């Protein structure tokens, strides 16, 4: 591995980045969606999944309301939801489980269950799924 690194002429770094949530997405009959509206850390395929949720929300609203009302409702619903997700991703998102394990077992571990309880993992993952709009609705 060391030889491979030493033999590499150029090393590129691609840091993960996001943007602060925008104060608005819509002006007149034009709106933003996906990364244009809410770029965020690529946690859990957020770029694609949030764009799909945006499109679904906007399509449903446009099918049932006048365009101006639909765009306003889209922004009112999706902007706060994605802003909350940006904030959550900045503090670890679903990877909080990894942080818990690293904090509790810095020297390693034999069994994950000895470090973090299944209920803790479920709380983190289900909480994130709900926040991100991935939770299945009955």
């Amino acid at each position: 591995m060391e030889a491979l690194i030493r033999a590499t002429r150029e090393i590129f770094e691609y840091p993960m980045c996001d943007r602060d949530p925008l104060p608005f997405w819509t002006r007149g009959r034009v709106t933003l969606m996906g990364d244009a509206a809410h770029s965020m850390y690529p946690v859990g395929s957020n770029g694609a999944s949030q764009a799909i949720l945006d499109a679904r929300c906007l399509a449903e609203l446009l099918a049932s309301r006048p365009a101006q009302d639909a765009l306003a409702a889209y922004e009112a619903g999706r902007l706060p939801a994605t802003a909350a997700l940006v904030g959550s991703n900045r503090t670890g998102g679903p990877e909080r489980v990894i942080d818990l394990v690293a904090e509790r077992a810095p020297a390693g571990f034999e069994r994950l269950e000895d470090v973090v309880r299944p209920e803790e993992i479920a709380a983190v993952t289900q909480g994130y799924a709900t926040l991100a709009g991935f939770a299945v609705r009955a």
Side-chain angles (χ1 to χ4, degrees):
M1 180 70 137
E2 182 180 336
L4 178 64
I5 293 171
R6 290 190 186 282
T8 302
R9 291 175 37 148
E10 295 180 80
I11 297 176
F12 300 98
E13 181 178 333
Y14 297 96
M16 291 197 311
C17 59
D18 70 355
R19 300 238 182 215
D20 288 337
L22 297 172
F24 63 88
W25 296 351
T26 305
R27 284 296 177 253
R29 296 177 57 92
V30 176
T31 195
L32 301 173
M33 64 186 321
D35 283 347
H38 46 70
S39 67
M40 58 183 73
Y41 292 137
V43 175
S45 298
N46 274 325
S49 59
Q50 293 306 308
I52 290 167
L53 292 173
D54 288 351
R56 177 182 174 186
C57 176
L58 188 54
E60 288 173 356
L61 291 166
L62 286 168
S64 63
R65 302 178 185 197
Q68 294 289 100
D69 294 344
L71 294 176
Y74 159 72
E75 180 178 302
R78 293 294 297 150
L79 192 152
T82 57
L85 196 55
V86 168
S88 177
N89 288 343
R90 288 178 176 178
T91 61
E95 281 80 12
R96 287 187 190 108
V97 172
I98 296 169
D99 296 337
L100 279 174
V101 172
E103 178 183 301
R104 294 178 184 173
F109 58 92
E110 291 293 320
R111 295 179 24 170
L112 181 61
E113 298 82 14
D114 295 336
V115 180
V116 61
R117 296 185 327 271
E119 300 83 33
E120 291 177 289
I121 295 170
V124 169
T125 57
Q126 288 304 308
Y128 189 81
T130 299
L131 180 67
F134 304 152
V136 176
R137 291 181 253 177

